Amino acid sequence: MLNGFLPTDLRRKRTREGLERCRQHLPKWFQALRALEAFGRVERSPYHNVLVMTVEDPIALLEAVERGTEESPALYDAIARVAPAICSFEFRSADEFKKKAKSIVLEWLPRLAGRSFHVRFHRRGPRHELRTPEVERFLDDALLEALQQAGTPGRLSFSDPDAVIAIDTIDDRAGISLWAREDLARHRLLRPD
């Protein structure tokens, strides 16, 4: 060896081994970020271990990520949950959030008629006076009342419900989805609870 020169094949071998060792020590969020970049634009949020993506088809993304986790157990370890938003909106106050969220969930009355359900709210960001139990109760009550008035009463269930309405906020952006029991059974990365 002269002045750091290594034959090419040894250099490649050492580089590959070094890269593999480095990959094993990368933070899991970084591993997830790299893997998710194949599916679309990924951004880090200001919150610990939370990544945000914007895609045309959130269900297709969920299925692609699940296939990726089957091929790479390390990716499955790096991604705790995927929360595709079927509907999304921005809001400037807690009242505006409640009004917009209520409007969206009431559109799902036909899918909730006579079924058991609950609302699950994941909030990130201190900007608004949104408290998880209050938001969940507000939307649960709005749905129960509307279902009762429609003559198709539903019921709250936190144990094996027919559906879960999942809401995630990051600062002043919200995403909402309705997942049936079958969706939750089929997609292991949804985990709205």
Side-chain angles (χ1 to χ4, degrees):
M1 196 159 82
L2 178 66
N3 293 332
F5 172 80
L6 282 175
T8 305
D9 57 339
L10 287 176
R11 186 179 313 130
R12 267 195 217 121
K13 182 177 180 192
R14 285 188 179 173
T15 301
R16 280 190 201 117
E17 290 170 356
L19 282 174
E20 197 52 45
R21 265 195 310 275
C22 286
R23 277 190 194 113
Q24 293 170 0
H25 298 289
L26 288 174
K28 289 188 180 202
W29 68 263
F30 190 77
Q31 294 172 25
L33 178 100
R34 287 288 173 229
L36 291 172
E37 285 176 334
F39 305 113
R41 197 182 90 204
V42 184
E43 298 174 30
R44 276 190 75 191
S45 77
Y47 304 101
H48 182 68
N49 288 343
V50 177
L51 301 174
V52 179
M53 293 185 73
T54 303
V55 296
E56 290 290 321
D57 186 350
I59 304 303
L61 170 69
L62 173 64
E63 291 170 351
V65 170
E66 286 179 333
R67 281 192 303 276
T69 62
E70 290 167 4
E71 296 165 7
S72 171
L75 180 58
Y76 182 73
D77 289 343
I79 297 177
R81 142 179 123 89
V82 176
I86 304 305
C87 300
S88 61
F89 62 88
E90 292 187 4
F91 59 97
R92 291 187 277 300
S93 68
D95 288 337
E96 183 181 8
F97 169 84
K98 287 179 178 180
K99 189 181 302 182
K100 288 182 175 182
K102 181 179 176 181
S103 172
I104 291 169
V105 300
L106 289 178
E107 291 177 19
W108 294 329
L109 283 181
R111 294 178 59 191
L112 296 170
R115 302 182 81 194
S116 63
F117 67 92
H118 68 266
V119 174
R120 185 58 69 214
F121 179 56
H122 299 274
R123 179 184 62 85
R124 289 172 193 84
R127 300 178 95 181
H128 305 288
E129 292 299 315
L130 293 171
R131 293 190 177 39
T132 298
E134 292 170 13
V135 169
E136 292 174 349
R137 194 173 316 110
F138 169 77
L139 294 171
D140 283 335
D141 290 346
L143 285 165
L144 288 170
E145 181 180 327
L147 288 166
Q148 185 70 36
Q149 288 176 356
T152 56
R155 64 184 175 81
L156 289 183
S157 175
F158 298 96
S159 173
D160 195 31
D162 294 318
V164 175
I165 295 171
I167 305 172
D168 284 89
T169 65
I170 296 179
D171 292 328
D172 56 2
R173 294 182 294 170
I176 303 180
S177 299
L178 171 64
W179 303 109
R181 178 186 292 128
E182 299 77 28
D183 298 323
L184 297 171
R186 183 173 54 246
H187 299 292
R188 63 188 181 145
L189 289 176
L190 280 178
R191 300 183 193 139
D193 289 320

